[in-house]
């Protein structure tokens, strides 16, 4: 295989991967073939290409994939903080190293077990490493392959297998196609039969998804309970809101009064992430805190809002990364949080964000690297949040009755399936994503983030409210379809009737069994590749023609 062909295969996979994800509204199914050129590149024998060159071709391909889909992370706006811009550029270089880990493992398997074993192992490696990529403070599982299918009927089985299970199935299709192309029968009839069988399996998968989608269309006539919701999208400048943060309260109250309360009598009003970007319960902000409580009581609503929240620790209870007061007599943390306030009680329910954007919101492994906390602070002062520890639903009430148990998900928490799964397992019958994607206005980022929330709806079969500072704000049905949506970069209020759903999907019950099993298999395969004695007892071998 000459270098020009090798390069063409690598570029082809990068372009296909980028197209399937970036254009998932129309071409997401391209992911079913997007890895095929890379698999062929890794499988074919050539004296010119060794382990090192194969992995670097994979890096180049996945660099192209990241660049086409996540170029917007550097926040290409005039007011972008230099630190935020720099982290986006660094991520563009570093992230493909994580994405190529499955191919590093495949190279080892190929070297010792042969190309056939490598192709067969691809689904296991992809699912395992995509799952592992979401398990630490340094995680960023945004480009999980299964997300590309969110607009396809195939995504509807995510309530059984989860998004990582979709990645496994996507990889299976890629492996089968690569196998047919590499080890095709000299008989045209048999080749056609193999291809037809593969197409039939994909068609059955899509058919099963279509049936499941129809089964989970919201049936409002049979609903036992309805919650009237107002989602407020203020469209505030994400940098200016931190320089004049107290004005945000006035802006949100005015918009809620003029649009939400003037048009209907909602049970719940939702404001976006850090809608109140200051510690409103601090004694210094008593006037604002009193004004907010008075508005909630007068309006007779529940209010879910993003807010900065502070916790002062008892002696000996603070985590290593906690801040110390200027006087040195107390330790505390400030959290990116959500408050749920009700007209029927003075108690405030709180959810503190548990999954934080690496470097942008918190230094990864901050409890172990406390000396480096001050290194990463950037312009708007949100780079050192504390880390929340619980995922319990918040209760929306009407009088003495609970009408909805809502799982509040803050921004990037939505890209971690375990967050929504934990909320539902703990009793949530609806989910609510609050976010501030305005750092990326005019880019594909907000739409991609919205689509990820749609996958959470499918996995849990829960309605998902989504409230964003500048969009995309809307209501997502349990089948992942969009019921209501406010256009991006406009101020407005979406009024919706939400029908909470009970019942627990198989995915919520069993979690990520597929990628966990794949991780164990990857470990076994890598051990197998290193121990010749184990290889001799294998029941079969793959050979190329």
């Amino acid at each position: 295989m000459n270098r020009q062909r090798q390069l063409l295969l690598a570029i082809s996979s990068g372009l296909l991967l980028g197209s399937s994800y970036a254009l998932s509204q129309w071409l997401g199914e391209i992911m079913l073939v997007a890895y095929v050129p890379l698999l062929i590149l890794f499988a074919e024998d050539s004296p010119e290409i060794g382990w090192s060159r194969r992995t670097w071709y994979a890096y180049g391909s996945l660099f192209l994939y990241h660049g086409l889909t996540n170029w917007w992370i550097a926040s290409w706006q005039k007011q972008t903080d230099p630190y935020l811009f720099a982290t986006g550029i660094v991520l563009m270089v570093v992230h493909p190293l994580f994405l190529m880990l499955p191919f590093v493992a495949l190279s080892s398997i190929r070297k010792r077990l042969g190309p056939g074993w490598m192709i067969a192992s691809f689904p296991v490696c992809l699912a395992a490493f995509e799952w592992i990529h979401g398990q630490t403070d340094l995680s960023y599982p945004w480009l999980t392959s299964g997300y590309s299918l969110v607009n396809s009927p195939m995504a509807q089985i995510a309530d059984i297998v989860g998004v990582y299970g979709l990645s496994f199935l996507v990889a299976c299709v890629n492996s089968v196609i690569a196998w047919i192309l590499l080890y095709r029968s000299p008989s045209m009839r048999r080749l056609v039969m193999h291809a037809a069988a593969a197409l039939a399996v994909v068609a059955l998968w899509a058919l099963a998804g279509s049936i499941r989608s129809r089964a989970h269309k919201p049936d409002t006539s049979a609903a036992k309970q309805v919650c009237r919701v107002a989602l407020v999208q203020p469209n505030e400048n994400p940098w200016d809101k931190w320089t004049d943060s107290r004005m945000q309260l006035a802006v949100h109250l005015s918009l809620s009064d003029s649009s939400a309360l003037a048009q209907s009598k909602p049970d719940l009003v939702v404001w976006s992430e850090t809608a109140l970007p200051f510690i409103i319960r601090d004694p210094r902000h008593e006037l604002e805190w009193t004004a907010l409580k008075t508005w909630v009581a007068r309006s007779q609503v529940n209010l879910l809002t993003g807010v900065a929240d502070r916790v002062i620790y008892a002696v000996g209870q603070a985590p290593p990364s906690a801040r110390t007061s200027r006087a040195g007599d107390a330790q505390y943390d400030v959290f990116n949080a959500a408050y749920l306030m009700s007209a029927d009680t003075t108690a405030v329910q709180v959810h503190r964000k548990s999954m934080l954007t690496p470097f942008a919101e918190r230094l990864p492994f901050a409890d172990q690297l406390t000396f480096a906390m001050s290194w990463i602070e950037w312009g708007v002062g949100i780079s050192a949040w504390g880390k929340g520890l619980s995922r319990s639903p918040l209760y929306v009430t009407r009088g003495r009755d609970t009408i909805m148990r809502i799982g509040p998900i803050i921004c990037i928490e939505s890209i971690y399936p375990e967050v929504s799964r934990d909320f539902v397992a703990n009793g949530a019958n609806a989910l609510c994503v609050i976010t501030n994607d305005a750092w990326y206005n005019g880019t594909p980022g907000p739409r991609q983030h919205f689509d990820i929330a749609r996958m959470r709806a499918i996995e849990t079969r829960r309605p998902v409210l989504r409230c964003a500072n500048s969009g995309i704000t809307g209501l997502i049905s349990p089948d992942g379809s969009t019921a209501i949506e406010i256009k991006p970069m406009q101020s407005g209020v979406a009024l919706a009737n939400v029908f909470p759903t009970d019942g627990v999907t198989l995915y919520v019950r069993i979690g990520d069994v597929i990628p966990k099993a794949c991780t164990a298999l990857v470990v076994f395969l890598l051990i197998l590749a290193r121990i010749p004695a184990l290889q001799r007892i294998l029941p079969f071998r793959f050979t190329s023609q």
Side-chain angles (χ1 to χ4, degrees), residues 99-157:
L99 298 178
M100 68 183 283
L101 289 178
F103 293 92
V104 173
L106 289 172
S107 288
S108 180
I109 292 169
R110 184 199 185 283
K111 182 177 180 180
R112 293 171 173 84
L113 299 179
W117 272 95
M118 184 211 73
I119 293 174
S121 301
F122 174 61
V124 173
C125 289
L126 185 71
F129 283 104
E130 285 193 345
W131 174 74
I132 290 170
H133 190 21
Q135 300 310 303
T136 72
D137 283 355
L138 200 57
S139 60
Y140 179 68
W142 193 284
L143 293 183
T144 300
S145 301
Y147 286 130
S148 64
L149 298 180
V150 70
N151 289 287
S152 168
M154 295 178 179
Q156 294 298 320
I157 65 168

Side-chain angles (χ1 to χ4, degrees), residues 279-299:
I279 304 171
I280 193 169
R281 290 200 283 183
D282 187 291
R284 293 174 297 174
H285 304 301
E286 184 177 356
L287 288 176
E288 290 82 4
W289 180 230
T290 300
L292 183 61
K293 290 189 294 182
T294 301
W295 180 84
V296 170
R298 172 177 57 81
S299 304

